[in-house]
Amino acid sequence: MRRLNAVLWDVDGTLAETERDGHRVAFNLAFEALGLPWHWDVARYGQLLGITGGRERLQHDMASRSDAPATARERLMLAEELHRLKNHHYAEQVRSGAVVLRPGVVQVMGQCAERGIRMALATTTSRVNVEALLRVQLGSRWASWFEAIVCGEDVRHKKPDPEVYRQVLAQLGLSPLETLAIEDAPMGLAAARAAEVPVVVTRSAYFDNAIFDGAIAIGPGLHQRQGWRPALPKAEGAPIGLDDLIDWHAQMDCVSQSV
Ligand code: XBP
């Protein structure tokens, strides 16, 4: 039987609903702060999530706006200024309690720590945002939970490119099949699969109805056993635990075709 040695966590959407309630709100506050009449509502931001990376998302949006700066260089400079402001507001959102970890996440992290399953973060977001979220949610020693932390600025190509997962695997010294990623978005799934990492999908607000091809399990979140594919034996009120991840990982060849 294949052994699971490490759980690789995506951050935005997977650890917390950071996109809708955190980054989106913070981008809008940044637009306001610079006196720009721009606003990303929930639906528009959902479309923009197809572009990973905050600066990249801003530049993509500006490219189709008649009231944005004319040259690519000016748009880049404005994107950088907005991004700095956005990150500041994001940290405030997090500190105010507007964004918290999704239910079940800390429990599974605790089980990994207790049972010697290594953990890593594989994210497209900037380190400053990971730090802001996890310092509040896991405490000042948050980084010691993870043996590798690879963020947006550490890679040349963001998800769906597999670079972030390849870097995590190299830092852990593990082969992909010894690990399992937890992701919420098709781009994240694609990144992990391209690095041959098996993936469990916990659906998030923005990707509730998205199609996920090639995951070993898909469900509504780690907090409940109902609604998962493959179906789980009922255990009234029980959340998903590390044993479920280990089972899915062990059976991955049988289940990835069928979920
Ligand atoms: C999510 C992203 C990020 C965030 C914003 O990454 O695509 O761009 O929306 O973060 P993941 P920055 O799901 O891999 O955690 O503004 O720091 O880029």
Side-chain angles (χ1 to χ4, degrees), residues 181-203:
I182 307 188
E183 277 281 357
D184 73 303
M187 309 277 254
L189 171 76
R193 294 302 302 130
E196 292 175 40
V197 171
V199 182
V200 168
V201 173
T202 54
R203 290 182 180 277

Side-chain angles (χ1 to χ4, degrees), residues 118-132:
R118 302 161 74 191
M119 287 190 285
L121 296 177
T123 174
T124 305
T125 199
S126 314
R127 192 167 293 260
V128 68
N129 295 326
V130 176
E131 159 105 34

Side-chain angles (χ1 to χ4, degrees), residues 10-12 19 53-54 57 83 86 123-126 129 159:
D10 167 51
V11 174
D12 292 292
E19 296 292 11
R57 194 168 297 143
H83 193 246
K86 184 277 285 183
T123 174
T124 305
T125 199
S126 314
N129 295 326
K159 297 175 186 176

Side-chain angles (χ1 to χ4, degrees), residues 200-212:
V200 168
V201 173
T202 54
R203 290 182 180 277
S204 61
Y206 271 120
F207 300 105
D208 202 23
N209 294 311
I211 293 167
F212 290 96

